[in-house]
Each structure stands twice: as C-alpha cells, then as structure tokens.
Amino acid sequence: MDLNSILGLSTSIISIAVTVILGIQVYTLLTIDKRVQKTIQEEREKYKEDNAQLAEKLKKFTIAVQRFTSGNIYLSNEEYCDAFGVFCLAAIDANKLGEAELTSSSLEQAIRLFDYNKNFNKSDIGMKYADEIKEEMIGIPDKKAIAIYNFLSDPSAELPHSPTSVLS
C-alpha cells in the first residue's frame, strides 16, 4: 500500500466517523424534546401529589383554627359547654397536625372552663362528641389533655387541682 491509499483509507474512516457522530447528534436533538417532556411530566406528577397533601393539611388546619375561633365566639355568648367542646375538638385536630401551639392554646381554653361544664354531656356538642373527645385526649402528650380526660371521665368528681394549677 502506498501513501495515497493510506491517506484515502484514513480520510474515508474519518469521514464515516464524522458522519456517525453527526447522525448521533441529529438523533439526540430530535429525541431530546420527548425526554424533556417526559421529565417535566414526571415532576408535575410528583408535585401534584405533594400539593394535594399540602392542600389537605391546610384544610385540616383551617378547620382546627375555625373550631378555636368558634370556641371564642361561644365564650363571648356565655355558651360555656359548647365552647369547652369546640376547644377540645380544636386541640384534637391541631394535635393530629403536629401544631403544638394551637393544641396547647385550645387545651388551656378548655381547662379554664371546667367550673362551667358540670353538665357538658347534656349539651349538643357534649352529646355528639363527648366519647370522641375523651378517647382522643389520651393521644395528646400534654398534662392538660389528661386533666380534660379525667374531667370527662367523672365531671362530678372534685378536681384534684384547680384549673390554674393544671395550666402551670
């Protein structure tokens, strides 16, 4: 083989290699749009689920805050049994969401109403939710929840501590 043949063969191999590389580049450009769209769709699905979970948590938090607010409205109307009930329900909802501050505030408001709630089980909220409130108080890691549980277990019993000592 002479030099011209070697140069011709080398040029042919390089030309074929460049053509293959250009072909790969063209194919990549043509298929990249599909891969980008697929990636975008996967991310949308991922965030769609996260957004749904956040929306559900926000909805539950809003209900807890509404119950707390309702308790204050019942207080202003001197409807102490109903106020006690909705404060307890707000504490339960807030505890399930991990909202410690709202849980504590709701329990504190409920405890301040002990003296007014000897007939809680006879109120509308008491008749409807007393068992649920009592059962859910067990799951709240706060001494105020235990005091409420004990109060609901036997409202006629003397309270071992005054409501203000439970809050301390």
Side-chain angles (χ1 to χ4, degrees):
M1 261 186 151
D2 64 349
L3 186 58
N4 284 335
S5 300
I6 293 176
L7 282 174
L9 183 61
S10 296
T11 304
S12 297
I13 291 174
I14 291 174
S15 297
I16 291 171
V18 168
T19 304
V20 169
I21 291 172
L22 286 174
I24 291 172
Q25 290 296 325
V26 168
Y27 175 77
T28 301
L29 286 173
L30 293 174
T31 60
I32 197 164
D33 188 47
K34 289 180 185 176
R35 287 184 285 163
V36 168
Q37 290 299 334
K38 181 180 176 188
T39 303
I40 289 171
Q41 188 61 31
E42 288 171 356
E43 292 299 315
R44 260 193 211 140
E45 291 300 318
K46 177 183 168 187
Y47 290 115
K48 183 178 180 181
E49 184 177 318
D50 291 346
N51 285 341
Q53 289 173 354
L54 285 173
E56 185 63 27
K57 185 175 180 178
L58 180 60
K59 178 181 172 185
K60 289 178 181 178
F61 180 74
T62 302
I63 291 170
V65 170
Q66 285 174 338
R67 283 183 167 168
F68 185 84
T69 304
S70 295
N72 286 316
I73 292 169
Y74 283 126
L75 272 179
S76 68
N77 292 327
E78 298 180 0
E79 297 174 24
Y80 302 117
C81 290
D82 291 331
F84 175 81
V86 292
F87 282 131
C88 290
L89 292 170
I92 292 165
D93 291 343
N95 182 63
K96 288 178 182 176
L97 292 169
E99 296 289 336
E101 188 174 329
L102 182 57
T103 302
S104 181
S105 296
S106 299
L107 292 171
E108 187 173 317
Q109 289 288 76
I111 284 176
R112 291 176 193 259
L113 296 169
F114 275 173
D115 293 335
Y116 300 99
N117 283 292
K118 295 298 180 186
N119 296 316
F120 173 68
N121 291 334
K122 296 177 184 173
S123 72
D124 290 340
I125 292 176
M127 288 188 292
K128 187 172 183 178
Y129 295 105
D131 292 335
E132 177 187 344
I133 291 170
K134 186 176 164 185
E135 182 180 309
E136 294 290 336
M137 284 296 142
I138 295 171
I140 299 176
D142 188 311
K143 66 182 179 180
K144 295 177 283 224
I146 302 296
I148 291 171
Y149 174 83
N150 291 336
F151 172 78
L152 291 174
S153 295
D154 188 6
S156 63
E158 284 292 318
L159 295 173
H161 304 287
S162 69
T164 52
S165 69
V166 174
L167 298 174
S168 310

